[in-house]
C-alpha cells in the first residue's frame, strides 16, 4: 500500500513536470520531494490510524473430527467426499455383530430379572408363613415350659414333673425361639429384596435395564451419522479399517454448512477506532480485481500473545517482545463465496471507520490497485 501511494505520487509529479515543462532545478526537485514526504506522510498517518489495512486476512471455518463412539471394523462407507449431506445421514457403518449379541444377552438378563420379581414376592409370602408357624411353635413350647416350671415350683419335692422333664421343655422352648428368630430374619431379607426399588422398579431389573440401554446405545453407534448439514473432504476411510474412539485419530473430518468469517490481523494502534458495524472491504488472492464488501462483526477481546495457562514452567521475558496484532472478524455481504470458493481462502482487508471519511477514498483506490496487481502475482504471506 505504501509503495503504491509513493509510485502514484511519483507518476503525478513526473506528469506535472512534463506537462507544464517545469525545469529540474535545486528548488523544484526538493520542493516536489519534500511536498511528497509531507503529503504522503500525512495521508499514511491518517489512513493507517483511521482506515487500517492488513495484508493478513483469511477465511476461517470450523471442522468437526468424526470419531466413532465404539471400536469396531468398518464394513461400509456411505458418504462420498465433497458431496453435501444432511444431518442424520449415515457416514459409515461398523460391524454390528458383537454389539447385537450383547443386546440379546442383556435382553435375556432383563427378562430373568423381571421373572425373579414375582419369585421374590412368593418367597417373601412363604417366609411370612414360616415365621408365623415358627412363632406359633415358640408360643406353644413356651406355654408348656412355663406350665412345667410353675408345677415344679408349686409341687416342690412332691411335684409330678421331674427336673429332666423341665429341662427338656426349656430346651424345646429355646430351640423354638431360635427357629422363630431365624424365620423372622429370612422374612425380613425376602421383604427387603422384594421392596428394593428405584423409581418404582426393582433394583435388579433397573440394573439390567440400564445395561441393556448401554448395549442398545453402543449398537446404534455402529452407524456413524452426520452431526449437522455439511460435507466430508479429503476422506481416506475405507471398509476394512479398524475404527477406534481415539480423539487424536479421527476417522474423517466433517465441514459443517454454516456461516464463515474472515479474520484480519490489524496493528494495535488502530484499536481505539475499530468497532463492530464499521464498513470493510476484502480482496482475495483467488479473485483478482474483485472487491468484496462487508461489515466488522467483532473485535476479538483477547490476543494469544498475552495468554498464560497453568503449568509447571516459568514464562520467558522473550514472550514480551512479541507484540501481536488484534484480530477482527468481518462478515461479507455476498454469501455466494461459500459455494464458489474453497473454504480458507486468503486475501487483504481494509476497514473504514467514521473518522476522516474523505481519506477513506484514497484507501479504497489503493485497495483496488492492490487487487489488480493480483492478476500478476499474489502477495506472499
Amino acid at each position: 500500500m505504501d509503495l503504491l501511494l509513493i509510485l502514484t505520487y511519483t507518476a503525478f509529479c513526473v506528469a506535472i513536470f512534463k506537462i507544464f515543462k517545469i525545469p529540474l532545478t535545486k528548488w523544484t526537485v526538493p520542493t516536489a520531494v519534500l511536498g511528497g514526504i509531507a503529503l504522503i506522510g500525512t495521508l499514511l498517518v491518517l489512513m493507517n490510524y483511521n482506515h487500517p489495512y492488513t495484508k493478513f486476512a483469511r477465511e476461517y471455518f470450523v471442522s468437526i473430527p468424526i470419531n466413532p463412539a465404539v471400536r469396531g471394523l468398518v464394513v461400509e462407507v456411505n458418504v462420498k467426499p465433497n458431496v453435501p449431506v444432511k444431518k442424520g445421514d449415515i457416514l459409515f457403518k461398523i460391524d454390528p455383530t458383537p454389539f447385537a449379541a450383547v443386546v440379546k444377552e442383556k435382553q435375556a438378563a432383563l427378562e430373568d430379572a423381571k421373572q425373579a420379581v414375582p419369585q421374590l414376592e412368593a418367597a417373601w409370602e412363604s417366609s411370612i408363613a414360616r415365621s408365623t408357624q415358627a412363632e406359633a411353635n415358640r408360643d406353644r413350647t413356651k406355654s408348656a415350659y412355663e406350665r412345667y416350671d410353675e408345677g415344679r415350683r408349686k409341687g416342690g419335692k412332691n411335684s409330678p414333673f421331674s427336673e429332666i422333664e423341665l429341662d427338656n421343655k426349656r430346651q424345646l422352648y429355646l430351640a423354638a425361639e431360635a427357629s422363630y428368630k431365624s424365620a423372622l430374619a429370612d422374612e425380613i431379607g425376602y421383604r427387603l429384596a422384594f421392596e428394593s426399588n428405584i423409581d418404582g422398579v426393582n433394583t435388579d431389573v433397573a440394573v439390567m435395564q440400564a445395561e441393556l440401554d448401554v448395549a442398545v446405545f453402543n449398537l446404534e453407534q455402529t452407524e456413524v451419522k452426520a452431526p449437522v448439514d455439511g460435507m466430508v473432504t479429503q476422506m481416506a476411510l475405507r471398509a476394512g479399517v479398524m475404527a477406534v474412539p481415539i480423539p487424536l485419530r479421527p476417522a474423517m473430518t466433517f465441514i459443517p454448512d454454516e456461516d464463515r468469517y474472515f479474520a484480519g490481523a490489524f496493528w494495535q494502534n488502530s484499536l481505539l477506532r475499530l468497532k463492530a458495524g464499521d464498513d470493510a472491504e476484502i480482496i482475495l488472492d483467488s479473485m483478482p480485481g474483485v472487491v468484496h464488501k462487508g461489515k466488522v462483526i467483532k473485535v476479538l477481546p483477547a490476543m494469544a500473545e498475552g495468554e498464560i495457562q497453568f503449568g509447571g514452567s516459568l514464562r520467558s521475558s522473550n514472550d514480551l517482545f512479541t507484540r501481536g496484532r488484534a484480530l477482527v472478524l468481518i462478515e461479507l455481504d455476498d454469501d455466494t463465496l461459500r459455494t464458489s470458493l474453497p473454504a480458507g481462502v486468503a486475501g487483504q482487508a481494509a476497514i473504514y471507520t467514521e473518522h476522516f471519511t474523505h481519506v477513506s477514498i484514497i484507501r479504497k483506490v489503493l485497495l483496488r490497485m492492490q487487487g489488480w496487481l493480483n492478476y500478476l502475482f499474489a502477495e506472499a504471506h
Side-chain angles (χ1 to χ4, degrees):
M1 283 290 182
D2 302 341
L3 180 59
L4 288 176
L5 192 60
I6 294 172
L7 291 177
T8 302
Y9 177 78
T10 303
F12 178 78
C13 289
V14 171
I16 293 296
F17 273 79
K18 292 293 185 180
I19 294 173
F20 295 99
K21 298 180 181 180
I22 299 175
L24 302 178
T25 65
K26 65 179 181 179
W27 301 109
T28 58
V29 173
T31 300
V33 173
L34 293 176
I37 293 176
L39 178 61
I40 295 176
T42 302
L43 290 177
L44 287 176
V45 170
L46 292 176
M47 284 194 307
N48 290 336
Y49 184 67
N50 297 285
H51 311 291
Y53 159 84
T54 180
K55 61 181 180 180
F56 303 106
R58 184 178 299 278
E59 183 188 29
Y60 279 91
F61 61 95
V62 176
S63 64
I64 303 175
I66 302 298
N67 291 288
V70 294
R71 183 179 186 273
L73 188 68
V74 176
V75 294
E76 185 178 341
V77 179
N78 304 83
V79 67
K80 295 182 179 180
N82 308 317
V83 176
V85 296
K86 295 294 184 180
K87 179 180 179 181
D89 289 350
I90 298 176
L91 301 179
F92 62 93
K93 295 181 180 180
I94 296 175
D95 187 3
T97 302
F99 302 97
V102 174
V103 169
K104 290 183 179 180
E105 178 185 356
K106 298 303 180 182
Q107 287 175 339
L110 177 60
E111 291 301 321
D112 287 342
K114 290 181 178 179
Q115 293 297 328
V117 174
Q119 295 176 6
L120 285 175
E121 184 178 12
W124 178 33
E125 293 176 352
S126 177
S127 66
I128 293 176
R130 288 195 300 270
S131 63
T132 302
Q133 181 181 7
E135 183 181 13
N137 186 47
R138 182 205 61 178
D139 293 342
R140 180 177 58 80
T141 55
K142 179 181 180 182
S143 177
Y145 165 66
E146 290 176 347
R147 188 172 63 254
Y148 270 66
D149 182 58
E150 183 180 2
R152 177 67 179 172
R153 284 188 286 101
K154 289 181 178 180
K157 293 181 180 181
N158 298 323
S159 173
F161 306 118
S162 65
E163 187 68 27
I164 296 177
E165 290 176 328
L166 179 62
D167 186 63
N168 287 337
K169 295 299 182 181
R170 182 172 60 252
Q171 296 301 324
L172 290 174
Y173 162 65
L174 294 178
E177 178 71 22
S179 298
Y180 169 67
K181 290 182 178 179
S182 176
L184 188 62
D186 290 341
E187 177 189 346
I188 295 174
Y190 284 116
R191 178 178 62 81
L192 293 176
F194 175 72
E195 294 180 349
S196 178
N197 296 326
I198 178 172
D199 296 332
V201 180
N202 182 266
T203 52
D204 291 338
V205 175
V207 170
M208 290 298 102
Q209 183 64 60
E211 293 182 359
L212 176 59
D213 292 342
V214 173
V216 171
F217 173 79
N218 291 335
L219 178 60
E220 292 175 349
Q221 297 309 305
T222 58
E223 292 185 349
V224 181
K225 300 179 180 179
V228 293
D229 295 349
M231 71 173 66
V232 176
T233 187
Q234 299 184 8
M235 185 183 68
L237 184 67
R238 297 293 185 273
V241 173
M242 179 60 69
V244 292
I246 300 178
L248 300 179
R249 191 178 180 183
M252 56 179 59
T253 299
F254 189 87
I255 300 177
D257 184 15
E258 61 184 14
D259 293 337
R260 301 196 295 260
Y261 295 95
F262 274 86
F266 292 85
W267 290 115
Q268 299 180 32
N269 61 349
S270 298
L271 283 176
L272 293 179
R273 297 300 197 191
L274 299 178
K275 68 179 187 302
D278 287 339
D279 293 330
E281 290 183 336
I282 292 178
I283 57 175
L284 302 176
D285 298 344
S286 56
M287 300 183 70
V290 180
V291 178
H292 304 278
K293 297 183 179 297
K295 294 285 186 180
V296 173
I297 299 301
K298 188 172 185 60
V299 180
L300 295 188
M303 299 173 60
E305 288 77 9
E307 179 188 15
I308 295 179
Q309 289 187 355
F310 170 78
S313 59
L314 299 177
R315 300 299 296 268
S316 171
S317 60
N318 293 330
D319 296 339
L320 300 177
F321 303 154
T322 304
R323 310 305 296 175
R325 296 192 179 198
L327 295 179
V328 179
L329 296 183
I330 301 173
E331 183 179 24
L332 299 184
D333 298 337
D334 186 6
D335 194 46
T336 58
L337 291 180
R338 294 191 345 176
T339 57
S340 59
L341 293 177
V345 293
Q348 299 91 48
I351 297 176
Y352 310 113
T353 68
E354 60 186 7
H355 307 280
F356 292 91
T357 55
H358 56 282
V359 182
S360 65
I361 299 176
I362 302 176
R363 173 66 80 191
K364 292 180 180 180
V365 172
L366 294 176
L367 184 68
R368 282 155 176 78
M369 292 174 64
Q370 181 63 52
W372 298 333
L373 288 177
N374 286 341
Y375 278 110
L376 304 178
F377 56 87
E379 188 172 359
H381 301 301

